[in-house]
Amino acid sequence: RKEVEQDPGPFNVPEGATVAFNCTYSNSASQSFFWYRQDCRKEPKLLMSVYSSGNEDGRFTAQLNRASQYISLLIRDSKLSDSATYLCVVNPVGAGGSYIPTFGRGTSLIVHP
Amino acid sequence: DTGVSQNPRHKITKRGQNVTFRCDPISEHNRLYWYRQTLGQGPEFLTYFQNEAQLEKSRLLSDRFSAERPKGSFSTLEIQRTEQGDSAMYLCASSSGTSGGMYTQYFGPGTRLTVL
């Protein structure tokens, strides 16, 4: 089993739709979680951190479920500009006690008119 | 521009040659990461520095790869005796943080390597 798994998609949704992605992780000792957005042939950019209590930023909501070992990202009222690949990042502790960022392969979202 | 910069942006080389990439992090960031990304995959962790100390190195990283951050500022990633399988985007990221935990990483634009 991969350390971090995401459904690659693509998720094809109309403008205005609500869409949700999940990301499962295998290391129960993981401490920090993030969602990044990556546009085609560009570098990843932070979308939001994921806190234990869940957090919301405008149309975006991130949640963490430690018991089932997954994080989720909900996008409401999808815009054309939301079309991108969404990467989750999980940080298990490495052998040296430091944190090793582990990315999922990303979920592709296509929002159409 | 005060973001993370990487040079060169593109590199084409022949199999067997050595290549070196440079990353200049955001100036106040003490952590620096190198990743490799291929099409359809997420960034794959290669190595990580806190200041000049290399704290982690991926077990998947062959001995042909080496990275340095001599003064705790810029970093270089060298690949010796390149192979076609090394063709990928090499991303650098930096973050702040002096204690445990993970901080927001800011990525550079990457260096795209093509090995012929």
Side-chain angles (χ1 to χ4, degrees), chain A residues 24-109:
Chain A
T24 59
Y25 60 95
S26 60
N27 190 327
S28 60
S30 299
Q31 297 292 323
S32 309
F33 309 88
F34 300 82
W35 284 102
Y36 277 74
R37 170 193 170 128
Q38 186 171 29
D39 293 295
C40 187
R41 303 185 76 83
K42 298 284 189 180
E43 70 272 21
K45 293 185 178 178
L46 179 71
L47 182 64
M48 57 199 306
S49 305
V50 186
Y51 303 126
S52 297
S53 55
N55 47 304
E56 187 174 311
D57 182 2
R59 298 181 294 108
F60 299 85
T61 300
Q63 291 194 318
L64 167 64
N65 186 317
R66 285 195 184 274
S68 300
Q69 294 184 203
Y70 74 88
I71 61 173
S72 63
L73 177 67
L74 180 77
I75 305 175
R76 290 181 297 278
D77 188 23
S78 298
K79 311 290 185 191
L80 295 177
S81 58
D82 293 334
S83 298
T85 295
Y86 292 84
L87 299 159
C88 68
V89 189
V90 175
N91 298 284
V93 180
S98 60
Y99 291 76
I100 301 195
T102 304
F103 281 79
R105 65 179 295 182
T107 296
S108 176
L109 172 65

Coordinates of all heavy atoms in Angstrom, one line a residue, chain A residues 24-109:
Chain A
T24 N -6.0 9.3 1.5 CA -5.7 8.3 2.6 C -4.2 8.2 2.8 O -3.4 8.3 1.9 CB -6.3 7.0 2.3 OG1 -5.7 6.4 1.1 CG2 -7.8 7.0 2.1
Y25 N -3.9 8.0 4.1 CA -2.5 7.8 4.4 C -2.3 6.6 5.3 O -3.2 6.2 6.0 CB -1.9 9.1 5.1 CG -2.6 9.5 6.4 CD1 -2.1 9.1 7.6 CD2 -3.7 10.3 6.4 CE1 -2.7 9.5 8.8 CE2 -4.4 10.7 7.5 CZ -3.9 10.2 8.7 OH -4.5 10.6 9.9
S26 N -1.1 6.0 5.3 CA -0.9 4.7 5.9 C -0.2 4.9 7.3 O -0.4 4.0 8.2 CB -0.1 3.8 5.0 OG 1.1 4.3 4.7
N27 N 0.5 5.9 7.5 CA 1.3 6.1 8.7 C 0.5 6.8 9.8 O 0.3 8.0 9.7 CB 2.6 6.8 8.4 CG 3.6 6.8 9.6 OD1 3.2 6.8 10.7 ND2 4.9 6.8 9.3
S28 N 0.1 6.1 10.8 CA -0.7 6.7 11.8 C 0.0 7.8 12.6 O -0.6 8.5 13.4 CB -1.3 5.6 12.7 OG -0.2 4.9 13.4
A29 N 1.3 7.8 12.5 CA 2.1 8.8 13.3 C 2.2 10.1 12.6 O 2.9 11.0 13.0 CB 3.5 8.2 13.6
S30 N 1.6 10.2 11.4 CA 1.7 11.5 10.6 C 1.1 12.6 11.5 O 0.1 12.5 12.1 CB 0.9 11.3 9.3 OG 1.5 10.3 8.5
Q31 N 1.8 13.8 11.4 CA 1.5 14.9 12.2 C 0.9 16.1 11.5 O 0.1 16.8 12.1 CB 2.8 15.3 12.9 CG 3.4 14.3 13.8 CD 2.5 14.0 15.0 OE1 1.9 14.9 15.6 NE2 2.4 12.7 15.4
S32 N 1.3 16.3 10.3 CA 0.9 17.5 9.6 C 0.3 17.2 8.2 O 0.8 16.2 7.6 CB 2.1 18.5 9.4 OG 2.8 18.7 10.6
F33 N -0.6 18.0 7.8 CA -1.4 17.7 6.6 C -1.6 19.0 5.8 O -2.0 20.0 6.5 CB -2.7 17.0 6.9 CG -2.5 15.8 7.8 CD1 -2.6 16.0 9.2 CD2 -2.3 14.5 7.3 CE1 -2.4 14.9 10.1 CE2 -2.2 13.4 8.2 CZ -2.2 13.6 9.6
F34 N -1.5 18.9 4.5 CA -1.7 20.1 3.7 C -2.4 19.7 2.4 O -2.2 18.6 1.9 CB -0.4 20.8 3.3 CG 0.4 21.2 4.5 CD1 1.2 20.3 5.2 CD2 0.4 22.5 5.0 CE1 2.0 20.7 6.3 CE2 1.1 23.0 6.0 CZ 1.9 22.1 6.7
W35 N -3.1 20.6 1.8 CA -3.5 20.5 0.4 C -2.8 21.6 -0.4 O -2.7 22.8 0.0 CB -5.0 20.8 0.3 CG -5.8 19.6 0.7 CD1 -6.5 19.5 1.9 CD2 -6.1 18.4 0.0 NE1 -7.2 18.2 1.9 CE2 -6.9 17.6 0.7 CE3 -5.7 18.0 -1.3 CZ2 -7.4 16.4 0.3 CZ3 -6.2 16.7 -1.7 CH2 -7.0 15.9 -0.9
Y36 N -2.2 21.1 -1.5 CA -1.6 22.0 -2.5 C -2.3 22.0 -3.8 O -2.9 21.0 -4.1 CB -0.1 21.6 -2.7 CG 0.9 22.1 -1.7 CD1 0.9 21.6 -0.4 CD2 1.7 23.2 -2.0 CE1 1.8 22.0 0.5 CE2 2.6 23.7 -1.0 CZ 2.6 23.1 0.2 OH 3.5 23.5 1.2
R37 N -2.2 23.0 -4.5 CA -2.8 23.1 -5.9 C -1.6 23.2 -6.9 O -0.7 24.0 -6.6 CB -3.7 24.3 -6.0 CG -4.2 24.6 -7.4 CD -4.8 26.0 -7.5 NE -5.0 26.3 -8.9 CZ -6.1 26.7 -9.4 NH1 -7.2 26.8 -8.6 NH2 -6.2 26.9 -10.7
Q38 N -1.8 22.5 -8.0 CA -0.7 22.5 -9.0 C -1.4 22.7 -10.4 O -2.2 21.9 -10.8 CB 0.2 21.3 -9.0 CG 1.3 21.4 -10.0 CD 2.4 20.3 -9.8 OE1 2.0 19.2 -9.4 NE2 3.6 20.6 -10.1
D39 N -1.1 23.8 -11.0 CA -1.6 24.0 -12.4 C -0.6 23.4 -13.3 O 0.6 23.1 -13.0 CB -1.7 25.5 -12.7 CG -2.8 26.2 -11.8 OD1 -4.0 25.8 -12.0 OD2 -2.5 27.0 -11.0
C40 N -1.1 23.1 -14.6 CA -0.3 22.4 -15.5 C 1.1 23.0 -15.8 O 1.1 24.2 -16.1 CB -1.1 22.3 -16.8 SG -0.3 21.3 -18.1
R41 N 2.1 22.3 -15.6 CA 3.5 22.7 -15.8 C 3.9 23.8 -14.9 O 4.8 24.6 -15.3 CB 3.7 23.0 -17.3 CG 3.3 21.9 -18.3 CD 3.7 22.2 -19.7 NE 5.1 22.2 -20.0 CZ 5.7 21.0 -20.3 NH1 5.1 19.9 -20.3 NH2 7.0 21.1 -20.5
K42 N 3.3 24.0 -13.8 CA 3.7 25.0 -12.8 C 4.1 24.3 -11.5 O 3.8 23.1 -11.3 CB 2.5 25.9 -12.5 CG 2.1 26.7 -13.7 CD 3.0 27.8 -14.0 CE 2.5 28.8 -15.1 NZ 3.4 29.9 -15.4
E43 N 4.6 25.0 -10.6 CA 5.0 24.4 -9.3 C 3.7 24.4 -8.4 O 2.8 25.1 -8.5 CB 6.1 25.3 -8.6 CG 5.6 26.6 -8.1 CD 5.7 27.7 -9.2 OE1 5.8 27.4 -10.4 OE2 5.8 28.9 -8.7
P44 N 3.8 23.5 -7.4 CA 2.7 23.4 -6.4 C 2.6 24.6 -5.6 O 3.7 25.2 -5.2 CB 3.1 22.2 -5.6 CG 4.0 21.4 -6.4 CD 4.8 22.4 -7.2
K45 N 1.4 25.0 -5.2 CA 1.2 26.2 -4.3 C 0.3 25.8 -3.2 O -0.7 25.1 -3.4 CB 0.7 27.4 -5.1 CG 1.7 27.9 -6.1 CD 1.2 29.2 -6.7 CE 2.3 29.7 -7.7 NZ 1.9 31.0 -8.4
L46 N 0.6 26.3 -2.0 CA -0.3 25.9 -0.9 C -1.7 26.4 -1.0 O -1.9 27.5 -1.4 CB 0.3 26.5 0.4 CG -0.5 26.2 1.7 CD1 -0.4 24.7 2.1 CD2 -0.1 27.1 2.8
L47 N -2.6 25.5 -0.8 CA -4.0 25.8 -0.8 C -4.5 26.1 0.6 O -5.0 27.1 1.0 CB -4.9 24.7 -1.5 CG -6.3 25.0 -1.6 CD1 -6.7 26.1 -2.5 CD2 -7.1 23.7 -2.1
M48 N -4.2 25.0 1.4 CA -4.6 25.2 2.9 C -4.0 24.1 3.7 O -3.7 23.0 3.2 CB -6.1 25.3 3.1 CG -6.9 24.1 2.6 SD -8.6 24.4 2.4 CE -9.1 25.1 4.0
S49 N -3.7 24.4 5.0 CA -3.3 23.4 5.9 C -4.6 22.7 6.4 O -5.7 23.2 6.3 CB -2.6 24.1 7.1 OG -1.5 24.9 6.7
V50 N -4.4 21.5 7.0 CA -5.5 20.8 7.5 C -5.3 20.6 9.0 O -4.4 20.0 9.4 CB -5.6 19.4 6.8 CG1 -6.9 18.7 7.3 CG2 -5.6 19.5 5.3
Y51 N -6.3 21.2 9.7 CA -6.2 21.1 11.2 C -7.1 20.0 11.7 O -8.1 19.6 11.1 CB -6.6 22.4 11.8 CG -5.7 23.6 11.3 CD1 -6.3 24.7 10.7 CD2 -4.3 23.5 11.4 CE1 -5.5 25.8 10.3 CE2 -3.5 24.6 10.9 CZ -4.1 25.7 10.3 OH -3.4 26.7 9.9
S52 N -6.8 19.5 12.9 CA -7.6 18.5 13.5 C -9.1 18.8 13.6 O -9.9 17.9 13.4 CB -7.0 18.1 14.9 OG -5.7 17.6 14.8
S53 N -9.3 20.1 13.8 CA -10.7 20.5 14.0 C -11.4 20.8 12.7 O -12.6 21.2 12.7 CB -10.7 21.7 14.9 OG -9.9 22.7 14.4
G54 N -10.7 20.7 11.6 CA -11.2 21.1 10.3 C -11.1 22.6 10.1 O -11.0 23.3 11.1
N55 N -11.0 23.0 8.9 CA -10.9 24.4 8.7 C -11.5 24.8 7.3 O -11.6 23.9 6.4 CB -9.4 24.9 8.8 CG -8.4 24.0 8.0 OD1 -8.3 22.8 8.3 ND2 -7.6 24.6 7.2
E56 N -11.9 26.0 7.2 CA -12.6 26.5 6.0 C -11.9 27.8 5.6 O -11.5 28.6 6.4 CB -14.0 26.8 6.4 CG -14.9 27.1 5.2 CD -16.4 27.2 5.7 OE1 -16.9 26.3 6.4 OE2 -17.0 28.2 5.4
D57 N -11.8 27.9 4.3 CA -11.3 29.2 3.7 C -12.1 29.5 2.4 O -11.9 28.9 1.4 CB -9.8 29.0 3.3 CG -9.2 30.2 2.7 OD1 -9.9 31.3 2.7 OD2 -8.0 30.2 2.3
G58 N -13.1 30.3 2.6 CA -14.0 30.7 1.5 C -14.8 29.5 1.1 O -15.5 28.8 1.8
R59 N -14.6 29.1 -0.2 CA -15.3 28.0 -0.8 C -14.7 26.6 -0.5 O -15.2 25.6 -0.9 CB -15.4 28.2 -2.3 CG -16.2 29.4 -2.7 CD -16.2 29.5 -4.2 NE -14.9 29.7 -4.9 CZ -14.3 28.8 -5.6 NH1 -14.8 27.6 -5.8 NH2 -13.1 29.1 -6.1
F60 N -13.5 26.6 0.2 CA -12.8 25.4 0.4 C -12.8 25.0 1.9 O -12.7 25.8 2.8 CB -11.3 25.7 0.1 CG -11.1 26.0 -1.4 CD1 -11.2 27.3 -1.8 CD2 -10.8 25.0 -2.3 CE1 -11.0 27.6 -3.2 CE2 -10.6 25.3 -3.6 CZ -10.7 26.6 -4.1
T61 N -13.1 23.7 2.1 CA -13.1 23.2 3.5 C -12.3 21.9 3.5 O -12.4 21.0 2.7 CB -14.6 22.8 3.9 OG1 -15.4 23.9 3.8 CG2 -14.6 22.2 5.3
A62 N -11.4 21.9 4.5 CA -10.5 20.7 4.7 C -10.8 20.1 6.0 O -11.1 20.7 7.0 CB -9.0 21.2 4.6
Q63 N -10.8 18.7 6.0 CA -11.0 18.0 7.2 C -10.1 16.9 7.4 O -9.5 16.3 6.4 CB -12.5 17.5 7.2 CG -13.5 18.6 7.3 CD -14.9 18.1 7.7 OE1 -15.3 17.1 7.1 NE2 -15.6 18.7 8.6
L64 N -9.8 16.5 8.6 CA -8.9 15.4 9.0 C -9.7 14.3 9.7 O -10.4 14.7 10.7 CB -7.8 15.9 9.8 CG -6.9 14.9 10.5 CD1 -6.2 14.0 9.5 CD2 -5.9 15.6 11.4
N65 N -9.6 13.1 9.4 CA -10.2 12.0 10.1 C -9.1 11.0 10.5 O -8.6 10.2 9.7 CB -11.2 11.3 9.2 CG -12.0 10.2 10.0 OD1 -11.4 9.4 10.7 ND2 -13.3 10.1 9.8
R66 N -8.6 11.2 11.7 CA -7.4 10.4 12.2 C -7.8 8.9 12.3 O -7.0 8.0 12.1 CB -6.9 11.0 13.5 CG -6.1 12.2 13.3 CD -5.3 12.5 14.6 NE -4.6 13.8 14.5 CZ -3.4 13.9 14.0 NH1 -2.8 12.9 13.5 NH2 -2.8 15.1 14.0
A67 N -9.0 8.7 12.8 CA -9.4 7.3 13.0 C -9.4 6.5 11.7 O -8.9 5.3 11.7 CB -10.8 7.3 13.6
S68 N -9.8 7.1 10.7 CA -9.8 6.4 9.4 C -8.7 6.7 8.5 O -8.5 6.2 7.4 CB -11.1 6.7 8.6 OG -12.3 6.3 9.4
Q69 N -7.8 7.6 9.0 CA -6.6 8.0 8.3 C -6.8 8.6 6.9 O -6.3 8.0 5.9 CB -5.6 6.8 8.3 CG -5.1 6.5 9.7 CD -4.0 5.4 9.8 OE1 -3.8 4.8 10.8 NE2 -3.3 5.3 8.7
Y70 N -7.6 9.6 6.9 CA -7.7 10.3 5.6 C -8.0 11.8 5.8 O -8.4 12.2 6.9 CB -8.8 9.7 4.7 CG -10.3 10.0 5.2 CD1 -10.9 11.1 4.7 CD2 -11.0 9.1 6.0 CE1 -12.2 11.4 5.1 CE2 -12.3 9.4 6.4 CZ -12.9 10.5 5.9 OH -14.2 10.8 6.3
I71 N -7.7 12.6 4.8 CA -8.0 14.0 4.8 C -8.9 14.2 3.6 O -8.9 13.5 2.7 CB -6.8 14.9 4.8 CG1 -6.0 14.7 3.6 CG2 -5.9 14.7 6.1 CD1 -4.8 15.7 3.4
S72 N -9.7 15.3 3.7 CA -10.6 15.6 2.6 C -10.5 17.0 2.3 O -10.1 17.9 3.1 CB -12.0 15.2 3.0 OG -12.5 15.9 4.1
L73 N -10.9 17.3 1.0 CA -11.0 18.7 0.6 C -12.4 18.8 -0.1 O -12.7 18.1 -1.1 CB -9.9 19.0 -0.4 CG -9.9 20.4 -1.0 CD1 -9.7 21.5 0.0 CD2 -8.9 20.6 -2.2
L74 N -13.1 19.8 0.3 CA -14.5 20.1 -0.3 C -14.4 21.5 -1.0 O -13.9 22.4 -0.4 CB -15.5 20.1 0.8 CG -17.0 20.4 0.3 CD1 -17.5 19.1 -0.3 CD2 -17.9 20.8 1.5
I75 N -14.8 21.5 -2.2 CA -14.9 22.8 -3.0 C -16.3 23.0 -3.3 O -17.0 22.2 -4.0 CB -14.0 22.7 -4.3 CG1 -12.6 22.3 -4.0 CG2 -14.0 24.1 -5.0 CD1 -11.7 22.1 -5.2
R76 N -16.8 24.1 -2.8 CA -18.2 24.5 -3.2 C -18.2 25.5 -4.3 O -17.3 26.3 -4.5 CB -18.9 25.1 -1.9 CG -19.1 24.1 -0.8 CD -19.8 24.8 0.4 NE -19.0 25.9 1.0 CZ -18.0 25.6 1.8 NH1 -17.8 24.4 2.3 NH2 -17.3 26.6 2.3
D77 N -19.3 25.6 -5.0 CA -19.5 26.6 -6.1 C -18.3 26.6 -7.0 O -17.7 27.7 -7.1 CB -19.8 27.9 -5.4 CG -20.2 29.0 -6.4 OD1 -20.7 28.6 -7.5 OD2 -20.0 30.2 -6.1
S78 N -18.0 25.5 -7.6 CA -16.8 25.4 -8.4 C -16.7 26.5 -9.5 O -17.7 26.8 -10.1 CB -16.7 24.0 -9.1 OG -16.7 23.0 -8.1
K79 N -15.5 27.0 -9.7 CA -15.2 28.0 -10.7 C -14.4 27.4 -11.8 O -13.6 26.4 -11.5 CB -14.5 29.2 -10.2 CG -15.1 29.8 -8.9 CD -16.4 30.5 -9.2 CE -17.0 31.2 -7.9 NZ -18.4 31.6 -8.1
L80 N -14.4 27.9 -13.0 CA -13.5 27.5 -14.1 C -12.1 27.5 -13.6 O -11.3 26.6 -14.0 CB -13.7 28.3 -15.3 CG -15.1 28.2 -16.0 CD1 -15.1 29.2 -17.2 CD2 -15.4 26.8 -16.5
S81 N -11.7 28.5 -12.8 CA -10.4 28.7 -12.4 C -9.9 27.7 -11.3 O -8.7 27.6 -11.0 CB -10.2 30.1 -11.8 OG -11.1 30.3 -10.8
D82 N -10.8 26.9 -10.9 CA -10.5 25.8 -9.9 C -9.9 24.6 -10.6 O -9.3 23.7 -10.0 CB -11.7 25.4 -9.1 CG -12.2 26.4 -8.2 OD1 -11.5 27.3 -7.8 OD2 -13.4 26.4 -7.9
S83 N -9.9 24.6 -11.9 CA -9.4 23.5 -12.7 C -7.9 23.4 -12.5 O -7.1 24.3 -12.7 CB -9.7 23.6 -14.2 OG -11.0 23.6 -14.5
A84 N -7.5 22.3 -11.9 CA -6.1 22.1 -11.5 C -5.9 20.7 -11.0 O -6.9 19.9 -10.9 CB -5.6 23.1 -10.5
T85 N -4.7 20.4 -10.6 CA -4.4 19.1 -9.8 C -4.3 19.5 -8.4 O -3.6 20.4 -8.0 CB -3.2 18.4 -10.3 OG1 -3.4 18.0 -11.7 CG2 -2.9 17.2 -9.5
Y86 N -4.9 18.7 -7.5 CA -4.9 19.0 -6.1 C -4.1 17.8 -5.4 O -4.4 16.7 -5.5 CB -6.3 19.0 -5.5 CG -7.0 20.3 -6.0 CD1 -7.7 20.3 -7.3 CD2 -7.0 21.5 -5.3 CE1 -8.2 21.5 -7.8 CE2 -7.6 22.6 -5.8 CZ -8.2 22.6 -7.0 OH -8.8 23.8 -7.5
L87 N -3.0 18.3 -4.7 CA -2.1 17.4 -4.1 C -2.3 17.4 -2.6 O -2.3 18.5 -2.0 CB -0.7 17.8 -4.4 CG -0.2 17.8 -5.9 CD1 1.0 18.7 -6.1 CD2 0.1 16.4 -6.4
C88 N -2.3 16.2 -2.0 CA -2.3 16.2 -0.5 C -0.9 15.9 -0.1 O -0.1 15.2 -0.8 CB -3.3 15.2 0.0 SG -3.0 13.5 -0.3
V89 N -0.5 16.4 1.1 CA 0.8 16.2 1.6 C 0.6 15.7 3.1 O -0.1 16.3 3.8 CB 1.7 17.5 1.6 CG1 3.1 17.2 2.0 CG2 1.6 18.2 0.3
V90 N 1.3 14.6 3.4 CA 1.3 14.1 4.7 C 2.7 14.0 5.2 O 3.6 13.7 4.4 CB 0.6 12.7 4.7 CG1 0.7 12.0 6.0 CG2 -0.8 12.8 4.2
N91 N 2.9 14.2 6.5 CA 4.3 14.2 7.0 C 4.5 13.2 8.1 O 4.4 13.6 9.3 CB 4.6 15.7 7.5 CG 4.5 16.6 6.4 OD1 5.4 16.7 5.6 ND2 3.4 17.4 6.3
P92 N 4.9 12.0 7.8 CA 5.3 11.1 8.8 C 6.7 11.4 9.3 O 7.5 12.1 8.6 CB 5.3 9.7 8.0 CG 5.5 10.1 6.6 CD 4.9 11.5 6.4
V93 N 7.1 10.9 10.4 CA 8.4 11.3 11.0 C 9.4 10.3 10.5 O 9.2 9.1 10.4 CB 8.3 11.1 12.6 CG1 9.7 11.5 13.2 CG2 7.2 12.1 13.1
G94 N 10.5 10.9 10.0 CA 11.6 10.1 9.5 C 12.5 9.5 10.5 O 12.3 9.7 11.7
A95 N 13.4 8.7 10.1 CA 14.3 8.0 11.0 C 15.1 8.9 11.9 O 15.4 8.6 13.0 CB 15.3 7.1 10.2
G96 N 15.4 10.1 11.3 CA 16.2 11.1 12.1 C 15.3 11.9 13.0 O 15.8 12.9 13.6
G97 N 14.0 11.6 13.1 CA 13.2 12.4 13.9 C 12.6 13.7 13.2 O 11.9 14.4 13.8
S98 N 13.0 13.9 11.9 CA 12.5 15.0 11.2 C 11.3 14.6 10.4 O 11.0 13.4 10.3 CB 13.6 15.6 10.3 OG 14.0 14.7 9.4
Y99 N 10.7 15.5 9.8 CA 9.4 15.2 9.0 C 9.7 15.1 7.6 O 10.3 16.0 7.0 CB 8.4 16.3 9.3 CG 7.9 16.3 10.7 CD1 8.7 16.8 11.8 CD2 6.7 15.8 11.1 CE1 8.3 16.7 13.1 CE2 6.3 15.7 12.4 CZ 7.1 16.2 13.4 OH 6.6 16.1 14.7
I100 N 9.2 14.1 6.9 CA 9.5 13.8 5.5 C 8.2 14.0 4.8 O 7.3 13.2 4.9 CB 10.0 12.4 5.3 CG1 11.3 12.3 6.0 CG2 10.2 12.2 3.8 CD1 12.2 11.1 5.6
P101 N 8.1 15.1 4.0 CA 6.8 15.4 3.3 C 6.6 14.3 2.2 O 7.5 14.0 1.4 CB 7.1 16.7 2.6 CG 8.3 17.3 3.3 CD 9.1 16.1 3.7
T102 N 5.4 13.7 2.3 CA 5.0 12.7 1.3 C 3.8 13.2 0.6 O 2.7 13.4 1.2 CB 4.7 11.3 2.0 OG1 5.9 11.0 2.8 CG2 4.5 10.3 1.0
F103 N 3.9 13.3 -0.7 CA 2.8 13.8 -1.6 C 2.1 12.6 -2.1 O 2.6 11.6 -2.5 CB 3.4 14.6 -2.7 CG 3.8 16.1 -2.4 CD1 5.0 16.3 -1.7 CD2 2.9 17.1 -2.7 CE1 5.3 17.6 -1.4 CE2 3.3 18.4 -2.4 CZ 4.5 18.7 -1.8
G104 N 0.8 12.9 -2.3 CA 0.0 12.0 -3.1 C 0.2 12.3 -4.6 O 0.9 13.3 -4.9
R105 N -0.3 11.4 -5.5 CA -0.1 11.7 -6.9 C -1.0 12.8 -7.5 O -0.8 13.3 -8.6 CB -0.3 10.4 -7.7 CG -1.7 9.9 -7.7 CD -1.9 8.6 -8.5 NE -1.7 8.9 -9.9 CZ -1.8 8.0 -10.9 NH1 -2.1 6.7 -10.6 NH2 -1.5 8.3 -12.1
G106 N -1.9 13.2 -6.7 CA -2.8 14.3 -7.1 C -4.1 13.9 -7.7 O -4.2 12.8 -8.3
T107 N -5.1 14.7 -7.5 CA -6.4 14.5 -8.1 C -6.7 15.6 -9.1 O -6.6 16.8 -8.8 CB -7.5 14.5 -7.1 OG1 -7.3 13.4 -6.2 CG2 -8.9 14.4 -7.7
S108 N -7.0 15.3 -10.4 CA -7.2 16.3 -11.4 C -8.7 16.7 -11.4 O -9.6 15.9 -11.4 CB -6.9 15.7 -12.8 OG -7.2 16.6 -13.8
L109 N -8.9 18.0 -11.3 CA -10.2 18.6 -11.4 C -10.4 19.4 -12.7 O -9.5 20.2 -12.9 CB -10.5 19.5 -10.2 CG -11.8 20.3 -10.2 CD1 -13.0 19.3 -10.2 CD2 -11.9 21.3 -9.0

